[in-house]
């Protein structure tokens, strides 16, 4: 059974700092790895999806990498802004289309 | 513009009173999913439909049922809500089964009093 872990559970940084969020998974037989953003009390917004054959994906200030062999993914946020404050969830897709989520990293960017 | 729509956004029900949550999609996707997310926890898959084929996760309580009358709509029925069923319920769709990106709706926050 796939297990997904995210470290740290919470992170507080000053505005402008570059930061890295970590995601690890136990079963490397994944279709893809997806990063989501969740604002308090809201649904999930997809940020980046990395297919199993890819090493990384970029969108604006976000860069996600995938290392299947070690069971790790990272989300890099450049020049963080207060508007980036949210919970970031990673999810691996295995066994058909099932998404297994981590419990998220709660990010606070202080002005 | 909205692709996956959930209604209502907030639902309050009484202990034991049946409740139905609604999801619709404009993407014409074959697969629709329901996830449950309790406070500060990871979303958990309850079940999914591939077209009209229903697939229940092994640990989904019998209290939860689902209907998909057509491609666009999917409903989550909670027959006798308990306090432990208070959660955010997320609907998602994907074009097909197996490695396709999932698109999520805004969620329905369910409160049980």
């Amino acid at each position: 059974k796939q297990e997904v872990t995210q470290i740290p559970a919470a992170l507080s940084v000053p505005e402008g700092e570059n930061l890295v969020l970590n995601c690890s998974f136990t079963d490397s037989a994944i279709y893809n790895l997806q990063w989501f953003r969740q604002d308090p009390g809201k649904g999930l917004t997809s940020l980046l999806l990395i297919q199993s054959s890819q090493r990384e994906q970029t969108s604006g200030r976000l860069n996600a990498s995938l290392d299947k062999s070690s069971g790790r993914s990272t989300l890099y946020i450049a020049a963080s802004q207060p508007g980036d404050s949210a919970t970031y969830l990673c999810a691996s897709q295995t066994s058909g289309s099932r998404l297994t989520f981590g419990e998220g990293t709660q990010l606070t960017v202080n002005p | 513009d909205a692709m996956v729509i959930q209604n209502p956004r907030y639902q309050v029900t009484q202990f034991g009173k049946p409740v139905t949550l609604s999801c619709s999609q404009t993407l014409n996707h074959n697969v629709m999913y329901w996830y449950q997310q309790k406070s500060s926890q990871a979303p958990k898959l309850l079940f999914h439909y591939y077209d009209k084929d229903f697939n229940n996760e092994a640990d989904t309580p019998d209290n939860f049922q689902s209907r998909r009358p057509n491609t666009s709509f999917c409903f989550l029925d909670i027959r006798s809500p308990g306090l432990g069923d208070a959660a955010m319920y997320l609907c998602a769709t994907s074009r097909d089964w197996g490695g396709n990106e999932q698109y999520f709706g805004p969620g329905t926050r369910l409160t049980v009093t």
Side-chain angles (χ1 to χ4, degrees), chain A residues 13-55:
Chain A
V13 300
E15 182 177 2
E17 191 161 298
N18 302 325
L19 57 100
V20 175
L21 307 180
N22 297 293
C23 172
S24 61
F25 46 94
T26 55
D27 183 355
S28 62
I30 63 172
Y31 283 106
N32 56 56
L33 192 292
Q34 201 165 351
W35 283 92
F36 295 89
R37 169 184 173 138
Q38 187 172 35
D39 292 292
K42 306 292 186 183
L44 303 180
T45 301
S46 180
L47 297 173
L48 290 164
L49 180 146
I50 314 175
Q51 298 291 354
S52 61
S53 58
Q54 298 174 321
R55 297 283 294 183

Side-chain angles (χ1 to χ4, degrees), chain A residues 54-93:
Chain A
Q54 298 174 321
R55 297 283 294 183
E56 65 179 326
Q57 283 286 338
T58 298
S59 176
R61 295 183 292 108
L62 306 180
N63 176 276
S65 67
L66 175 65
D67 184 342
K68 270 182 50 176
S69 61
S70 67
R72 294 174 191 268
S73 176
T74 62
L75 178 66
Y76 175 82
I77 303 176
S80 58
Q81 303 171 357
D84 295 330
S85 299
T87 296
Y88 291 80
L89 295 151
C90 70
S92 67
Q93 190 172 79

Side-chain angles (χ1 to χ4, degrees), chain A residues 1 44 91-102, chain B residues 31-38 41-50 54-61 64 66 74 76 88-94 97 102 104:
Chain A
K1 180 183 173 184
L44 303 180
S92 67
Q93 190 172 79
T94 57
S95 180
S97 281
R98 287 176 185 81
L99 283 180
T100 302
F101 285 85
Chain B
V31 192
M32 295 187 77
Y33 310 79
W34 280 104
Y35 290 83
Q36 178 193 61
Q37 185 183 23
K38 296 187 177 180
Q41 295 185 18
K44 178 184 171 187
L45 182 64
L46 294 174
F47 26 63
H48 73 271
Y49 275 93
Y50 185 96
F54 176 73
N55 295 271
N56 203 32
E57 293 300 294
D59 54 357
T60 298
F64 290 84
S66 184
C74 194
L76 171 62
M88 173 76 84
Y89 289 88
L90 299 163
C91 175
T93 73
S94 65
W97 183 252
Q102 292 188 21
F104 281 79

